[in-house]
């Protein structure tokens, strides 16, 4: 049976998501994706370079550049104290508008984005071998939703429960241009990336290989 139906051929996008979690496939156009990739390159060339954070002494395989606030495991600061001490770039105004539009699109509620004002973005780059272990996004004081955008190679995104890293969880194929939102009862759900599919980035997205994931959050800090 495993030979007939290997994991890579299953439609992971058909997963049933829990309340508060929303997947909107191909929300970004190719033109929008290319523009965001160019922004990513500018951010990575900014005062704080793209870097791999260290969790419990181990370097993550994912590389991150931050906007608004600098994230390192379990803490937000304005300066990248674990990199070079420089202040991170400001989170741009257009990202607030984009986040609000994303919430409306994901939920179908015209008022969903009314008060959403993300003040930070963690922008992650995954190469072919990069993974993200199951974790909760709980370093923020705010319980506002997390808005996630994918560009480049597809990945297998595992979205779980709020109690532990084990089942129940569902696997979703996130493709270039996809939007994923989790808030409300799913805001503290464990989630991670278990696989990147090399060579699946669509022509014209601006990224020849690898995957960019932009996650917008409200920190709740002053």
């Amino acid at each position: 049976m495993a030979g007939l139906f290997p994991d890579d051929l299953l439609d992971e996008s058909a997963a049933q998501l829990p309340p508060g979690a929303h997947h909107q496939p191909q929300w970004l156009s190719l033109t929008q994706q290319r523009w965001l990739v160019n922004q990513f390159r500018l951010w990575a060339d900014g005062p704080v370079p793209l870097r791999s954070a260290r969790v419990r002494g181990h370097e993550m395989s994912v590389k991150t550049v931050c906007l608004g606030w600098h994230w390192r495991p379990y803490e937000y600061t304005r300066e990248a104290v674990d990199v070079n001490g420089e202040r991170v770039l400001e989170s741009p105004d257009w990202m607030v508008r984009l986040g609000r539009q994303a919430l409306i699109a994901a939920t179908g509620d015209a008022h969903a984005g009314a008060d959403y004002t993300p003040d930070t973005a963690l922008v992650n780059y995954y190469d072919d071998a990069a993974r993200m272990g199951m974790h909760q996004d709980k370093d923020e004081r705010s319980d506002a939703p997390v808005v996630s955008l994918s560009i480049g190679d597809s990945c297998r995104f595992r979205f779980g429960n709020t109690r532990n890293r084990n089942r129940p969880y569902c696997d979703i194929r996130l493709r270039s241009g996809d939007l994923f939102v989790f808030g409300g009862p799913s805001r503290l759900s464990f989630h991670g990336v278990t696989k990147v599919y090399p060579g699946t980035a669509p022509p014209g997205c601006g990224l020849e290989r690898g995957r960019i994931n932009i996650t917008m959050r409200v920190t709740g800090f002053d």
Side-chain angles (χ1 to χ4, degrees), residues 97 115 147 171 174:
R97 297 192 295 273
D115 298 321
V147 171
D171 286 341
L174 292 182

Side-chain angles (χ1 to χ4, degrees), residues 78-99:
R78 289 294 192 183
E79 290 77 29
V81 294
D82 61 330
V83 183
N84 58 8
E86 295 290 330
R87 187 181 178 95
V88 299
L89 293 170
E90 293 297 323
S91 183
D93 292 341
W94 58 260
M95 196 165 280
V96 173
R97 297 192 295 273
L98 182 61

Side-chain angles (χ1 to χ4, degrees), residues 122-192:
L122 275 61
V123 187
N124 298 317
Y125 176 75
Y126 293 74
D127 64 18
D128 296 354
R131 305 288 184 269
M132 180 78 76
M134 295 289 279
H135 66 283
Q136 293 172 300
D137 290 347
K138 61 179 183 180
D139 295 331
E140 302 80 20
R141 286 180 182 167
S142 171
D143 61 358
V146 174
V147 171
S148 170
L149 300 169
S150 296
I151 303 171
D153 285 336
S154 300
C155 77
R156 182 193 295 145
F157 178 62
R158 180 161 291 172
F159 194 77
N161 62 81
T162 59
R163 299 181 303 279
N164 55 54
R165 294 175 174 81
N166 304 320
R167 294 183 183 274
Y169 55 70
C170 55
D171 286 341
I172 304 135
R173 183 77 64 98
L174 292 182
R175 297 176 171 86
S176 194
D178 283 11
L179 162 67
F180 194 89
V181 169
F182 55 101
S186 289
R187 174 59 179 80
L188 292 180
S189 293
F190 284 89
H191 57 283

